[in-house]
Amino acid sequence: MSSDTRIIPLRVVNKTAYIWDVDDIAIVRSKHRICGILVGTLPHLSQQNVFLGVPLVLMPEEAALLVNIGAAVFVDDPNAHRNPTIPQLEAWSAEQRDLARSQIELTETKTAKESANPTRAMSEDALRKRREREERKKAKAAEVAAQQAAAASGSGETELNPSLLLGAPLMSKPETIHTPPTDPLTPSSSELSKSASTPYTIVIPASAASQPWYNASSCTYKTIESARAAGVWDFPATLSDRARSGVFHDLWKQGYFMGGGIKFGGEYLVYPGDPLRYHSHFSASVVESPIASLRPMEIVAHGRLGTATKKAHLLCGWDDEKQEVSYLSIEWAGFG
């Protein structure tokens, strides 16, 4: 299916819509001007609080707009995960074993080549540092052995354990190595037991839709009404929700990109183009009625905050009867 006709699945969990597929994220941004927020992280990834990954979480207004224009559908993600059958689990386990075996073979082949020609695998500086570490270890072991030998002779012992001279640790009693029970779902087998110390990676796809036990055919909803009837989605439910949804949709129809504006004192930041290329022109606040009262301090605060951040503040009044939006921009001006 081409990107022009592709329907984006919005996977809903706890009334929050997520997009897990990277291609879908690119489509909603480039074609539908929906940005969302990336919230996924990876362990041990440097600067993971700056460079985030999938999934993309959508504001309720963004998700509702995509469904209303027919570009996306809601998927009840928890119910789409079915219990896998035994053949499916066996196939998955066999696939993971094959993947682990190929990684181990590749690692062993690389290690053998490096052992055969260590000068190519390590630089001269690395070899020098390794030799220095080995010499320090031998010197420390000899020092410990000499101290233990002196202590033993001072206490009247006539026999000296030869292991002390070699710097080998003493064991008061044999150690028993306990092997954990084998999990039938983990990629372990007798073929891999000889290489149990070789690390390998288990690849888990970000999107569960690729798994054979994921089936969303009976829990996909094309409209907000059907998703609300199923208890999957309930936005917009109140006058405030309808006002936010109506304002967001109206600004979107005018060609703007929108992002969260809580840091700038409003509901949205309004961009003339992609936020990766443009700064926002407005910070927008939603007023539930065009005749709602505003306190003077609110007007002053919005105007000064917007001007201080090089923006104009946009007051967006929603008329729930006419389904229309009226706009008023505020900008602080200096007086001589």
Side-chain angles (χ1 to χ4, degrees):
M1 183 180 294
S2 66
S3 60
D4 295 335
T5 58
R6 181 185 179 95
I7 303 299
I8 308 299
L10 306 181
R11 310 191 189 279
V12 180
V13 180
N14 293 331
K15 309 295 178 66
T16 303
Y18 299 88
I19 299 179
W20 284 89
D21 191 278
V22 176
D23 294 333
D24 292 342
I25 294 174
I27 291 173
V28 297
R29 190 180 189 100
S30 61
K31 182 181 178 182
H32 302 297
R33 304 193 309 279
I34 298 296
C35 299
I37 301 174
L38 291 169
V39 296
T41 59
L42 294 174
H44 307 298
L45 180 64
S46 61
Q47 295 184 330
Q48 64 176 355
N49 58 333
V50 178
F51 303 102
L52 300 177
V54 294
L56 183 82
V57 61
L58 300 180
M59 291 188 295
E61 300 92 319
E62 293 174 323
L65 185 145
L66 288 172
V67 173
N68 283 334
I69 66 176
V73 294
F74 288 125
V75 176
D76 186 5
D77 201 56
N79 287 330
H81 287 83
R82 311 300 174 87
N83 291 328
T85 62
I86 296 300
Q88 289 174 338
L89 289 177
E90 291 176 347
W92 180 85
S93 183
E95 180 181 354
Q96 294 299 321
R97 283 197 298 269
D98 292 340
L99 179 61
R101 187 181 300 108
S102 63
Q103 292 183 54
I104 291 172
E105 290 176 354
L106 182 62
T107 302
E108 291 177 345
T109 302
K110 183 179 178 181
T111 303
K113 290 182 179 180
E114 292 177 352
S115 300
N117 194 354
T119 57
R120 293 187 59 186
M122 301 181 63
S123 64
E124 291 296 331
D125 188 51
L127 290 172
R128 178 181 56 80
K129 290 181 179 179
R130 171 179 284 185
R131 287 194 296 268
E132 291 176 354
R133 286 196 300 269
E134 292 176 352
E135 290 173 359
R136 285 196 298 268
K137 289 181 180 179
K138 291 180 180 178
K140 186 175 181 180
E143 182 181 355
V144 172
Q147 293 176 354
Q148 292 177 345
S153 61
S155 61
E157 294 182 6
T158 56
E159 292 187 3
L160 186 63
N161 194 329
S163 63
L164 298 176
L165 300 177
L166 299 176
L170 290 176
M171 298 178 62
S172 57
K173 60 181 179 179
E175 292 186 354
T176 303
I177 300 176
H178 300 277
T179 303
T182 302
D183 188 347
L185 300 183
T186 58
S188 60
S189 64
S190 58
E191 298 178 6
L192 298 179
S193 59
K194 63 178 181 180
S195 304
S197 60
T198 305
Y200 57 87
T201 302
I202 296 178
V203 179
I204 300 176
S207 176
S210 60
Q211 302 292 359
W213 51 81
Y214 187 90
N215 186 355
S217 58
S218 61
C219 50
T220 299
Y221 308 94
K222 298 182 179 180
T223 64
I224 293 178
E225 289 73 18
S226 60
R228 181 183 288 113
V232 176
W233 188 262
D234 55 10
F235 183 91
T238 63
L239 175 59
S240 176
D241 292 346
R242 293 195 298 273
R244 289 170 53 195
S245 182
V247 168
F248 187 93
H249 198 163
D250 191 74
L251 290 170
W252 179 85
K253 287 193 300 182
Q254 299 180 49
Y256 291 107
F257 284 72
M258 266 77 67
I262 187 64
K263 293 190 294 184
F264 297 90
E267 273 78 18
Y268 312 114
L269 287 181
V270 183
Y271 298 84
D274 194 309
L276 294 177
R277 300 177 58 190
Y278 297 90
H279 289 290
S280 58
H281 285 184
F282 302 99
S283 55
S285 293
V286 177
V287 182
E288 298 177 5
S289 171
I291 60 173
S293 60
L294 287 174
R295 294 180 299 170
M297 289 299 294
E298 291 183 73
I299 299 176
V300 173
H302 288 319
R304 294 202 61 154
L305 179 58
T307 304
T309 55
K310 299 181 180 180
K311 299 169 179 52
H313 195 88
L314 200 62
L315 294 175
C316 311
W318 170 251
D319 191 327
D320 201 44
E321 294 181 1
K322 297 181 180 180
Q323 300 287 298
E324 293 177 352
V325 186
S326 58
Y327 299 99
L328 176 65
S329 63
I330 305 173
E331 191 170 359
W332 191 260
F335 297 95

